[in-house]
C-alpha cells in the first residue's frame, strides 16, 4: 500500500485528506492546503449552478465574446465569477489568470500563489446535459511577496506547477488533483455536500485502447496526425469523443487512451490553451504514469510567452503518446 493511502480509507473527506497530507511536510505553512480547500468549495458552488442551470435561465449564450473571440455561455461567466470570488475570499492567492478574462486579476499581493484556470470547460455541452468541467493550475510567484504581481509570475512553465486539478461535473461530480505526489480523486457526496476520497493514487492502466479526436476536422490535420489516426483504426481501437476535454481526459486516464487536439488549418497552434487547460492536465497525466506533448516536445517544458497562448495537445497513456510522436514530430501543416 502506498504512503498516501495509509490510514486514509475510501470515503475520507477532502478537507481531512488535505490536512493529513500537509502533516507529511513539517515545513508546510498551510497556505496551499487552504487554497486547495477553497478550490473544493468553489467546485461545490459551481456544481450547484450547473445542476440547476436548466431551471434558472442560465443556459445559452451570454451575448458577449471572450478575449479569444469565442462566444461566452452564461455559465462560463457565472463559473468565472464564482471561482474568482471563492479565491478572493479564501485569501491565499495574489493573482488569477482565466480563460474568460483578458488581463491578470490582481488579488492579495501578500500571498504566494498564482492560479490559472478554465472555469468551465466544454461550453458547447452545457445546454445538452453532457459532462463539463473546471481546470486549475497553481504556481508559486517568482517576484517578491508584497509587491505587485509581474508577468513572469504568471508566464511560468508547466514544470513549475505546485498543484493542478480538475472538477468534473458528470454523472457524479469529482475533484481530481495532484501536488506532485500522485493523483487523487474525490467524489461529491451530494446529500452531505462533501468531496470524499474515491480513487487514491490514480494510474493509467497498461496499454490503451481508446483514441479521442474530432475527426470532423480531418481535412485540416497535419499528415502525421492523419497517419496516427489511421494507425489507430488499423489496430481496431475504439473512438470516443465527448467534446469536453476534462471528461475525455478523465475517461482515458481510467480506461487507457489518448486525447488529441492537433494543429489544424483553422487553428494552426491548436485550439486548447497552454496555461488554462494543457499544463494542468499534463501535470496530472505525468503523475498518473501518462504523458503529454504538443506533437514535438513535452508540454510541461513549453516556455509560455502569452497568457492565452494555445498549443496542439496529445495526452494520455504513455505508450500511445510516444507512438503518436513518432508520426507527428516532424510533421507540418500543408
Ligand atoms: P472551452 O469550453 O473551455 O472553450 O473548451 C472547449 C474545448 C475542449 O473542452 C474540447 O475538448 C474542445 O474544445 C472541443 O473542440 P471541438 O468542438 O473543436 O472538437
Ligand atoms: Mn476548455
Ligand atoms: Mn472554458
Amino acid at each position: 500500500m502506498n504512503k498516501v493511502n495509509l490510514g486514509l480509507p475510501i470515503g475520507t473527506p477532502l478537507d481531512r485528506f488535505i490536512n493529513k497530507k500537509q502533516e507529511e511536510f513539517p515545513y508546510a505553512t498551510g497556505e496551499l492546503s487552504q487554497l486547495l480547500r477553497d478550490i473544493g468549495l468553489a467546485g461545490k458552488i459551481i456544481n450547484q449552478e450547473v445542476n440547476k442551470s436548466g431551471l434558472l435561465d442560465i443556459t445559452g449564450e451570454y451575448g458577449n465574446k471572450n478575449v479569444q473571440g469565442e462566444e461566452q455561455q452564461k455559465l462560463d461567466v457565472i463559473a468565472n465569477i464564482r471561482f474568482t470570488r471563492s479565491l478572493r475570499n479564501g485569501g491565499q492567492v495574489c493573482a488569477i489568470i482565466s480563460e474568460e478574462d483578458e488581463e491578470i486579476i490582481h488579488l492579495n499581493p501578500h500571498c504566494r500563489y498564482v492560479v490559472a484556470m478554465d472555469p468551465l470547460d466544454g461550453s458547447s455541452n452545457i445546454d445538452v446535459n453532457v459532462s463539463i468541467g473546471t481546470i486549475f493550475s497553481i504556481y508559486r510567484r517568482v517576484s517578491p511577496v508584497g509587491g505587485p504581481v509581474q508577468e513572469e509570475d504568471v508566464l511560468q512553465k508547466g514544470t513549475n506547477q505546485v498543484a493542478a486539478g480538475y472538477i468534473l461535473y458528470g454523472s457524479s461530480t469529482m475533484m481530481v488533483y495532484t501536488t506532485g505526489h500522485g493523483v487523487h480523486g474525490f467524489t461529491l457526496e451530494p446529500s452531505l455536500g462533501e468531496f470524499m476520497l474515491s480513487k487514491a493514487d490514480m494510474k493509467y492502466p497498461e496499454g490503451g485502447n481508446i483514441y479521442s479526436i474530432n475527426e470532423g476536422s480531418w481535412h485540416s490535420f497535419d499528415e502525421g496526425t492523419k497517419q496516427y489516426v489511421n494507425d489507430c483504426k488499423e489496430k481496431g481501437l475504439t473512438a470516443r469523443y465527448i467534446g469536453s476535454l476534462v471528461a475525455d481526459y478523465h475517461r482515458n486516464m481510467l480506461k487507457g487512451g489518448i486525447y488529441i487536439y492537433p494543429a489544424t488549418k483553422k487553428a494552426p497552434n491548436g485550439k486548447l490553451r497552454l496555461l488554462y487547460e494543457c499544463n494542468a492536465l499534463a501535470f496530472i497525466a505525468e503523475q498518473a504514469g501518462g504523458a503529454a506533448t504538443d506533437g514535438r516536445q513535452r508540454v510541461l517544458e513549453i516556455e509560455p510567452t502569452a497568457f492565452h497562448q494555445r498549443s496542439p495537445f496529445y495526452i494520455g497513456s504513455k505508450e500511445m503518446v510516444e507512438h503518436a510522436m513518432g508520426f507527428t514530430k516532424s510533421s507540418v501543416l500543408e
Side-chain angles (χ1 to χ4, degrees):
M1 196 189 280
N2 65 64
K3 194 177 173 199
V4 167
N5 229 341
L6 276 182
L8 295 173
I10 297 303
T12 301
L14 175 67
D15 289 4
R16 187 168 148 73
F17 184 92
I18 291 170
N19 292 347
K20 280 278 175 198
K21 289 277 291 170
Q22 190 193 320
E23 287 168 13
E24 291 171 18
F25 300 93
Y27 301 108
T29 61
E31 293 161 270
L32 180 62
S33 298
Q34 183 55 46
L35 174 51
L36 289 168
R37 287 192 293 265
D38 295 339
I39 288 173
L41 175 62
K44 287 195 263 187
I45 293 169
I46 296 170
N47 180 63
Q48 283 288 89
E49 301 284 3
V50 169
N51 279 186
K52 63 190 181 189
S53 59
L55 299 170
L56 291 183
D57 190 31
I58 51 174
T59 56
E61 290 174 1
Y62 180 64
N64 190 24
K65 289 199 162 82
N66 68 13
V67 54
Q68 297 152 76
E70 296 159 345
E71 201 64 58
Q72 284 181 310
Q73 304 294 306
K74 289 180 195 164
L75 266 178
D76 283 325
V77 177
I78 291 170
N80 195 38
I81 292 170
R82 296 281 184 270
F83 219 92
T84 305
R85 193 179 292 162
S86 294
L87 297 187
R88 178 179 284 122
N89 291 343
Q92 305 300 334
V93 177
C94 57
I96 300 174
I97 53 165
S98 163
E99 183 185 279
E100 304 300 340
D101 288 301
E102 191 163 354
E103 305 287 345
I104 303 180
I105 301 162
H106 291 268
L107 300 180
N108 185 344
H110 298 285
C111 296
R112 292 199 290 168
Y113 292 107
V114 171
V115 173
M117 65 172 177
D118 177 355
L120 209 65
D121 170 68
S123 297
S124 66
N125 283 323
I126 292 173
D127 290 355
V128 290
N129 251 355
V130 173
S131 300
I132 51 182
T134 295
I135 309 173
F136 62 90
S137 287
I138 303 174
Y139 297 85
R140 205 169 279 121
R141 65 186 292 178
V142 289
S143 66
V145 172
V149 169
Q150 309 289 330
E151 225 175 67
E152 76 217 41
D153 296 320
V154 176
L155 292 180
Q156 298 195 51
K157 284 198 294 193
T159 46
N160 289 0
Q161 289 170 101
V162 293
Y166 56 82
I167 299 149
L168 171 62
Y169 314 102
S171 48
S172 65
T173 296
M174 273 195 87
M175 175 162 160
V176 174
Y177 80 94
T178 183
T179 55
H181 302 277
V183 179
H184 311 295
F186 300 80
T187 300
L188 184 65
E189 210 293 326
S191 59
L192 298 174
E194 290 270 17
F195 281 110
M196 297 176 129
L197 182 64
S198 51
K199 291 185 188 300
D201 204 13
M202 300 166 84
K203 294 280 181 219
Y204 279 90
E206 286 285 314
N209 191 37
I210 299 172
Y211 72 102
S212 309
I213 186 168
N214 184 347
E215 276 193 70
S217 303
W218 175 267
H219 290 295
S220 73
F221 294 165
D222 59 277
E223 206 44 48
T225 299
K226 284 183 183 168
Q227 283 170 9
Y228 176 69
V229 173
N230 276 333
D231 184 70
C232 291
K233 291 181 180 176
E234 276 157 21
K235 290 185 173 132
L237 302 194
T238 295
R240 289 283 183 272
Y241 190 77
I242 296 168
S244 291
L245 170 64
V246 171
D248 281 308
Y249 172 81
H250 185 74
R251 181 202 53 243
N252 290 356
M253 181 167 71
L254 293 181
K255 298 206 162 185
I258 185 169
Y259 172 95
I260 301 174
Y261 209 110
T264 64
K265 285 176 195 140
K266 189 172 148 208
N269 296 317
K271 177 183 181 190
L272 300 174
R273 281 127 301 206
L274 178 64
L275 293 173
Y276 313 123
E277 292 163 321
C278 305
N279 272 342
L281 298 185
F283 186 20
I284 294 167
E286 289 194 5
Q287 283 292 314
T293 77
D294 66 355
R296 290 157 205 276
Q297 63 165 325
R298 189 177 167 218
V299 163
L300 295 180
E301 280 169 7
I302 299 173
E303 201 70 69
T305 53
F307 303 159
H308 298 286
Q309 177 171 342
R310 295 171 193 264
S311 172
F313 201 35
Y314 301 73
I315 186 166
S317 301
K318 196 167 184 187
E319 314 83 83
M320 295 180 87
V321 173
E322 282 171 359
H323 184 55
M325 268 268 265
F327 293 92
T328 58
K329 65 175 179 290
S330 51
S331 172
V332 284
L333 273 179
E334 275 150 31

